[in-house]
Amino acid sequence: MKEIELDEPYSIPYRAIYAICDEKDECAEIIEHSNCYGGAAWARHHYSHSPIVRQIRTLGNMTRYLVEIDNVPLELKPSSAAAGIEAVEVKDNEVEITYAGLGGGGVGATCCRAQAAGVVRFETTPSGGGKEAKGTIVVPRRKRVLVGIDDTDTKETGATWCLTHNIAKELDCVESVYLSHSLVQLFPVSARTQNCVSTVLEFGCVDERAKNTLLEDIRNALEKYSASQDTGMVVLDSFNASSVREYSKLCRSAELTYEFAMEYAENHGVDVWMDGKGVIGALAALPWFARPDDSVIMDAELP
């Protein structure tokens, strides 16, 4: 018989928690990386009843809560609405997130989230047993930075999706967290290497300095490792990438010209960091961030 020793038998710390805010601080996306899928699934169900929660999505071990930046006290109910997000408030460059829960839901609302990476400080009440508990965590306010990349490979060597993920993983840091990676199926043009797929990387950056350092490092890595002379790299700071949705739809249904892509980028707030022909596909990838299950389907529609 194996005897085990548990340091914290009644707490499962979340891996990390981040907050991405929109441009006007009207809504935010709370992104939680869980260490226990079962607990995260329970939370998703109960948190869906919180008045400020608009939408919940799951991506791997990540739960993404789209919330209003507001404070609405919860009416907790055992078994049906036993936990939730009560408040999300922006103060200077930080975001305060308040959770509440009953029993085990209160443990998740307090110590489990307080111990997550990304949390700079917290306040919690006692939890566990039959208690009603509340916890507030403070995380940096982040903005979403989207990087579209295409044409790093040739017919002889390379795979853009591999290179982009490996670069992003190496550059993941506290100031610029690597959040998601999507392969985006494009219209199969004649110039494709094989499958006609581009990639979008999603990061959460704490400020302009962090963003610019990240982008310079990505470009330097692409210049070092790209096998193609046509590599395109485009960047968009946007909460929802709505400005390029129409372009993406066009690029997934027909062959577009390089000139059209460059003009569209200039007119819709997209910065071109590498101006090879890959800009055409890189630009189309941007609105598919954090939607890798849909982005690989040619006729999928963005919500």
Side-chain angles (χ1 to χ4, degrees):
M1 182 177 69
K2 182 178 181 180
E3 183 174 344
I4 63 172
E5 293 291 335
L6 299 175
D7 294 331
E8 297 185 79
Y10 290 114
S11 177
I12 302 175
Y14 274 67
R15 295 185 190 181
I17 299 176
Y18 308 113
I20 307 292
C21 295
D22 73 351
E23 293 79 4
K24 297 181 179 180
D25 286 339
E26 294 176 344
C27 63
E29 191 170 34
I30 307 304
I31 300 174
E32 299 182 344
H33 290 261
S34 172
N35 271 313
C36 175
Y37 186 87
W42 185 92
R44 284 196 304 274
H45 171 68
H46 287 269
Y47 285 24
S48 67
H49 303 294
S50 302
I52 68 171
V53 173
R54 294 183 184 176
Q55 182 188 78
I56 304 175
R57 294 196 300 120
T58 301
L59 184 62
N61 75 330
M62 180 191 303
T63 304
R64 306 173 73 115
Y65 297 94
L66 180 63
V67 300
E68 297 175 14
I69 295 179
D70 202 353
N71 187 333
V72 181
L74 298 176
E75 295 183 15
L76 299 176
K77 300 177 182 179
S79 302
S80 60
I85 301 175
E86 185 168 279
V88 177
E89 300 173 280
V90 179
K91 298 182 179 179
D92 296 325
N93 294 318
E94 295 180 330
V95 180
E96 295 184 359
I97 310 167
T98 299
Y99 303 84
L102 301 173
V107 174
T110 57
C111 56
C112 291
R113 287 178 168 83
Q115 298 176 65
V119 174
V120 296
R121 61 185 181 278
F122 62 88
E123 293 182 3
T124 62
T125 63
S127 62
K131 299 182 184 71
E132 179 175 335
K134 187 175 293 189
T136 297
I137 63 172
V138 180
V139 298
R141 181 192 185 280
R142 298 177 185 272
K143 68 176 179 179
R144 200 182 325 272
V145 177
L146 305 174
V147 184
I149 300 169
D150 200 10
D151 284 358
T152 69
D153 52 359
T154 67
K155 291 184 182 297
E156 290 73 37
T157 187
T160 295
W161 71 275
C162 288
L163 176 60
T164 53
H165 170 72
N166 288 333
I167 291 172
K169 187 177 179 181
E170 286 297 312
L171 296 178
D172 180 31
C173 64
V174 172
E175 293 80 14
S176 297
V177 294
Y178 173 32
L179 296 174
S180 73
H181 170 287
S182 295
L183 283 70
V184 182
Q185 183 63 57
L186 306 174
F187 184 80
V189 300
S190 57
R192 69 186 187 277
T193 51
Q194 192 61 261
N195 294 315
C196 208
V197 173
S198 59
T199 300
V200 57
L201 304 173
E202 178 196 13
F203 293 88
C205 297
V206 297
D207 54 31
E208 282 295 306
R209 181 197 60 78
K211 183 193 81 168
N212 289 329
T213 298
L214 169 72
L215 297 178
E216 289 169 3
D217 289 343
I218 293 175
R219 180 171 60 187
N220 289 340
L222 289 173
E223 290 174 345
K224 180 177 181 179
Y225 290 107
S226 289
S228 169
Q229 298 301 311
D230 292 324
T231 301
M233 171 184 168
V234 299
V235 178
L236 178 64
D237 297 354
S238 177
F239 190 70
N240 56 23
S242 59
S243 65
V244 290
R245 288 187 173 196
E246 185 59 32
Y247 174 90
S248 183
K249 184 176 181 179
L250 292 172
C251 196
R252 285 158 61 85
S253 59
E255 186 165 349
L256 304 181
T257 66
Y258 174 76
E259 292 74 19
F260 178 74
M262 292 293 287
E263 181 180 0
Y264 198 100
E266 182 179 358
N267 293 336
H268 291 81
V270 180
D271 295 324
V272 177
W273 279 65
M274 295 181 71
D275 62 0
K277 292 181 180 179
V279 165
I280 301 171
L283 184 58
L286 293 173
W288 293 94
F289 70 93
R291 294 193 174 275
D293 294 321
D294 299 324
S295 61
V296 295
I297 303 170
M298 180 73 83
D299 57 357
E301 294 284 345
L302 285 162

